[in-house]
Amino acid sequence: LENFKFDFWTLWGLGSQGLFFSRFIIQWWYSEKAKKTVIPNNFWYISLVAAVMIIIYALVRQDIVFL
């Protein structure tokens, strides 16, 4: 943890990963309400926004894992 750099981009990356994960919670919520498997439009919008945020993070950090 000594080399851990906690800055804006760390928060950005964690937030984007959290946003990407939240799409599953939203899909589960809508499916439970409908009593069948449902993939709402919000799922796709959140997926798109989170993916773009993760790509921006990877480009800014120049992380070999993403590139």
Side-chain angles (χ1 to χ4, degrees):
L1 290 175
E2 296 165 5
N3 296 334
F4 184 71
K5 191 169 130 183
F6 193 75
D7 59 3
F8 170 78
W9 289 109
T10 302
L11 291 175
W12 178 278
L14 291 171
S16 59
Q17 289 289 352
L19 186 62
F20 198 78
F21 174 74
S22 73
R23 67 195 189 119
F24 293 110
I25 296 170
I26 289 170
Q27 191 264 334
W28 169 75
W29 175 265
Y30 277 90
S31 293
E32 285 293 319
K33 283 176 45 177
K35 303 288 187 208
K36 64 179 182 175
T37 302
V38 176
I39 302 178
N41 288 336
N42 291 344
F43 178 91
W44 300 111
Y45 296 136
I46 291 172
S47 297
L48 182 63
V49 169
V52 168
M53 287 176 69
I54 291 169
I55 289 170
I56 291 169
Y57 173 82
L59 292 173
V60 167
R61 288 288 178 130
Q62 297 179 351
D63 194 333
I64 192 68
V65 174
F66 294 107
L67 304 176

